[in-house]
Structure formats: C-alpha cells, structure tokens
Amino acid sequence: MFSPTQLRVAVCQWRRRIGHFDTLVSTRIVGKAASFFRTRAFLRARRQTEVFARMAAAIGQRSPSAAERTPVMNPYATARGALIAPRQSIIHSHFDVESHSPRNRLLAWRERVGHVIDVVPSLSDLKHPFSASIERYSVGRFVFTDCRSDAMWLDRSLARISKDSIRTFAFHVFLDGEVDNVAVHASQRNQTTTSASLLALHLGQPVRMRRSACRVLTLFAPVEVAAEIFPDPEAMHGRGMRNDSPLTRLIVEHVTELSRTIHRMDADLAEQSLRTGVELLVEAFGKQAGLRGNARAAKRAAMFGSVRRYIHDHLFDDSLTPDTVLDALQLPRPTLYRMFQHEGGLGAYIRHLRLRQAADDLAHRPHLSVTDIAYGTGFSSPSDFTRAFRRAYDIAPQDFRVASRETGHILTPA
C-alpha cells in the first residue's frame, strides 16, 4: 500500500514529534509504520506539509518533497545527538522560450510566470515572434530574477489576488527598457503614464502595466523587511522613479553586480546582498515619499504613522472621513493631503483600504451578503459600495464574487 520511502518518512515525522532525532530508523519500526498513516498525528503532519507547499508556491519556489525535508538519517546530528543548523542553499532555475515552437513561445512564457502575474496577450501578439528568458535564484526569504523579454502587458487583478497567498514585495530595476502605463486600479485617473526605471509593487494589491522590451532585475522580499524602513510599506505600491540620482545609481550598480556574481556566492552572502538591495530600494522610495532623509522627513514619517494607525483603528466606522481625521489629530489639511498624494488623497486611501477588505470578504466569506459586507466595511449604503467597487476595479461586487471562484485567462482584443 505504501512505498518504503513513504514508510520511512512517516517514522521520521513521528520521531520529530517526540524528539528522538539521534536514533536511526530500524527495519522493524519501518515494517510497522503503516499504522501511523491512520493516526490523527499523521493527518496533522500531512496538513502541515500541504501548508508548507502552499507557502512555497506563494513565492514561486519549488516545494521540497517530504523525503527531502525529512531525511531518514539525520545528517545534522552530532555524536552526542545535539542538532546543528543546516546550511541553506541557493535554489537556481533557468527558463528560455527558445526551447518551444515559435507559435507557442508567448503562451509558454505566460505559463512560466503565471504563478505571480498574468501575461495579457492580444490575438495579434500570438502571431508575432516572442523572445524571453529568466534566471531565478531563491535563498532564504528572498528571490532574485534576471529577466530578458520582448514587450508585453502584465496584469495582477483583484480576482487573481483573491485566489493566491502571494503578498511579497517585488522591486523591479530595469537595466534596459522601462515600464509605463502603470495602473494600480482600473480607473484611469490612477494610471501613471510616465516611464520608470525602478518600480515597487506589493503583490497583495492589483496592478496593470506595460513593459517594453527590456532586461529587468527583480528582488522579491517579505513585507516585514520593507516595514523596517518604510512606515507603511504597502503605500509604496505602484511607485516608480527614474535612475537620475546618486542613490538610484548606487542601487543599479549593486543589483547589476549581484546578477553577475550571485551564482558564485554562498547562500549567506547572497541573502545579505539581497537584503542590502531591498533596503537601498526602500530607502530610495522613502525619500521620494518624503519619509526618509532628515529631521523634517522623520517628523513627517511620525505624522504619517499616527494617521495610518488612526485610520486602521477606525476603518470600519462609517463616520470615518478626512475631516474626522483632521479633527482628531489636529493636522493641517495641506500637510495631510500631500502625505497621501500618491494614493489620490486621504479620502481615496480610506476608500481603497475598505475596498480591499471588502474584496477579501467577497472572495472568502460566501455566507455574507453584499449588503452585509458593504455596511461591515464602513460604506454608508450598498449602492455607494457597489459604485465605488465598480469604479475602482471595473467589475460589480456580485460578479467579482463569481470570478474569484473561477480560473482562466482572457485575451484582450487586438
């Protein structure tokens, strides 16, 4: 019924639970291990394995098998049975569409990167030659990619976000080419038409953008790393900048050198280099937002933190408005507006947070009606909620709830 490897893994999982790492798996124990598969302890371990697999998929890395994760003979046990920490390694992969037939290359690329973001081809795009390749390095909590590709449209929709658990940051550094037409909502007034050489994206928020033929280096990092520097890291989403300052030139130099040497680094050095790159990028975006750099910026960051905490504490109160925030915190109106200018103003920031929470409820709480969700997230009426949701995401709440349960991609017209 079960293979010897499965039986050995089961015994190792059981031994891990009771703490006996320093003994080997005997043949007699392995022979009786089939009964373990029927215990509640194994079911819990199996569920944990599935959770680990989903977490690994969230950052796009291969999930190690149970046999890899739990060897039969523990190589990290000393002679006295004490454990030493295993050395982490760099996981590298390479993909190039040249190995596919010309007519299937764009679709192959779409399949390759589809675990993070959707490639949105038009019908005419599928008829033209397409070239793309990517080197991917995963180490610790960081991922680094070196991508060369032809032009394309990319989209990470709210419906897509509701189906996965990817909530990391992606910092793009373009060595050749650039990105433009970055839209963080469906509404055109939130679209940035200016091109950028550096771009910050929070993958827990929707985005649509056009990427020219380019070479782009991308650093994927946990939100917690960005939060160590930027007071509200999710507010960096969609920010772009040109490579026209000493700090941005240092960033480009650092990640370029990283792309040349990461394959020769040990894992600890690579992880530290990736963290340094992320910290430099967050520092640059913090300075752009006026939240880093001097005493005035520190004061602004403190005010921003106070406003953000107040909003999160009262987000679902239907009385929360920019005026109530001004009255509660006694801040000048122009200062408060400039602080949230990137989000379209404080009112837009509040509405966006409510809509994100509402979208999550629509996708994951099917027992709640749209009316309950509207009132529960601070909207004054279901009709106001429906209008705001449609204006922000170009889809009605009821249709989004249906779409979040379905899979598939849509071709845009030529």
Side-chain angles (χ1 to χ4, degrees):
M1 181 176 180
F2 302 106
S3 68
T5 299
Q6 288 177 311
L7 296 178
R8 289 179 182 274
V9 169
V11 173
C12 288
Q13 289 174 334
W14 180 257
R15 287 187 176 279
R16 172 171 291 182
R17 287 184 172 278
I18 61 177
H20 296 302
F21 285 96
D22 56 334
T23 57
L24 300 180
V25 180
S26 68
T27 303
R28 183 170 60 86
I29 292 176
V30 169
K32 296 181 179 181
S35 62
F36 174 72
F37 282 83
R38 295 187 291 271
T39 65
R40 291 184 178 181
F42 173 75
L43 293 177
R44 289 195 297 269
R46 184 63 176 268
R47 283 195 293 270
Q48 289 178 352
T49 300
E50 293 171 352
V51 170
F52 294 149
R54 288 196 298 270
M55 291 172 63
I59 58 173
Q61 66 185 31
R62 180 183 65 84
S63 177
S65 66
E68 291 173 319
R69 192 167 51 250
T70 313
V72 175
M73 299 179 65
N74 190 344
Y76 306 119
T78 63
R80 296 185 179 182
L83 294 177
I84 59 175
R87 290 180 61 85
Q88 64 178 350
S89 60
I90 299 176
I91 301 174
H92 171 246
S93 64
H94 168 79
F95 179 78
D96 194 324
V97 298
E98 292 296 323
S99 60
H100 295 263
S101 63
R103 63 182 300 176
N104 292 327
R105 286 174 182 174
L106 182 55
L107 295 178
W109 182 254
R110 185 188 194 183
E111 179 69 21
R112 177 64 177 84
V113 302
H115 65 283
V116 176
I117 195 165
D118 295 322
V119 177
V120 187
S122 68
L123 294 174
S124 63
D125 290 337
L126 297 174
K127 300 175 183 178
H128 292 89
F130 180 78
S131 176
S133 66
I134 187 169
E135 304 286 342
R136 184 182 183 281
Y137 302 88
S138 176
V139 52
R141 298 187 298 163
F142 298 87
V143 173
F144 178 75
T145 62
D146 184 349
C147 174
R148 294 171 170 84
S149 75
D150 289 340
M152 69 184 81
W153 278 94
L154 298 167
D155 180 74
R156 184 163 168 80
S157 67
L158 194 65
R160 170 60 184 274
I161 292 169
S162 70
K163 300 171 193 172
D164 63 34
S165 58
I166 303 176
R167 300 297 182 264
T168 57
F169 260 99
F171 296 98
H172 300 282
V173 179
F174 288 82
L175 303 187
D176 299 306
E178 56 195 11
V179 63
D180 56 22
N181 293 300
V182 178
V184 295
H185 305 302
S187 172
Q188 287 300 311
R189 37 170 216 272
N190 294 301
Q191 180 169 297
T192 302
T193 57
T194 56
S195 58
S197 301
L198 290 84
L199 178 69
L201 296 177
H202 177 238
L203 297 181
Q205 302 183 58
V207 64
R208 183 181 177 90
M209 59 186 178
R210 179 189 176 277
R211 213 168 72 181
S212 66
C214 66
R215 180 187 178 191
V216 57
L217 307 178
T218 305
L219 290 79
F220 295 86
V223 174
E224 297 76 27
V225 176
E228 295 172 2
I229 301 173
F230 201 100
D232 185 7
E234 294 182 10
M236 282 190 291
H237 178 62
R239 285 186 177 272
M241 65 177 68
R242 305 290 298 174
N243 180 20
D244 55 6
S245 71
L247 180 54
T248 57
R249 286 191 285 271
L250 176 62
I251 292 170
V252 172
E253 180 182 342
H254 176 80
V255 297
T256 301
E257 181 64 20
L258 183 60
S259 71
R260 288 197 292 260
T261 59
I262 189 170
H263 67 281
R264 300 196 301 268
M265 294 181 178
D266 62 43
D268 292 338
L269 179 57
E271 184 174 24
Q272 183 56 52
S273 296
L274 287 168
R275 173 179 282 274
T276 298
V278 171
E279 290 173 348
L280 287 171
L281 283 155
V282 175
E283 181 73 21
F285 285 109
K287 284 188 173 182
Q288 183 196 52
L291 302 177
R292 303 287 298 175
N294 51 39
R296 183 178 180 181
K299 181 180 178 181
R300 180 184 171 92
M303 287 191 296
F304 183 75
S306 298
V307 174
R308 182 175 58 87
R309 285 191 297 272
Y310 182 87
I311 291 172
H312 281 268
D313 290 343
H314 300 84
L315 184 61
F316 305 133
D317 299 342
D318 57 7
S319 60
L320 179 66
T321 65
D323 288 335
T324 60
V325 176
L326 286 168
D327 293 340
L329 301 180
Q330 296 295 302
L331 294 174
R333 185 180 296 272
T335 300
L336 196 60
Y337 177 79
R338 287 194 298 271
M339 203 175 293
F340 292 90
Q341 187 173 7
H342 177 70
E343 286 77 23
L346 180 57
Y349 177 74
I350 294 172
R351 184 169 57 253
H352 178 50
L353 291 180
R354 286 172 169 169
L355 288 172
R356 284 177 57 196
Q357 181 59 53
D360 187 72
D361 290 344
L362 286 167
H364 300 112
R365 305 180 72 181
H367 60 284
L368 291 180
S369 68
V370 173
T371 298
D372 291 337
I373 292 173
Y375 286 122
T377 51
F379 287 89
S380 58
S381 70
S383 59
D384 287 344
F385 166 64
T386 298
R387 281 194 298 271
F389 197 94
R390 186 189 292 275
R391 191 163 54 243
Y393 302 123
D394 202 26
I395 187 173
Q398 297 90 336
D399 296 336
F400 169 77
R401 171 167 271 175
V402 173
S404 66
R405 300 173 186 171
E406 299 173 350
T407 58
H409 302 280
I410 299 175
L411 291 178
T412 58

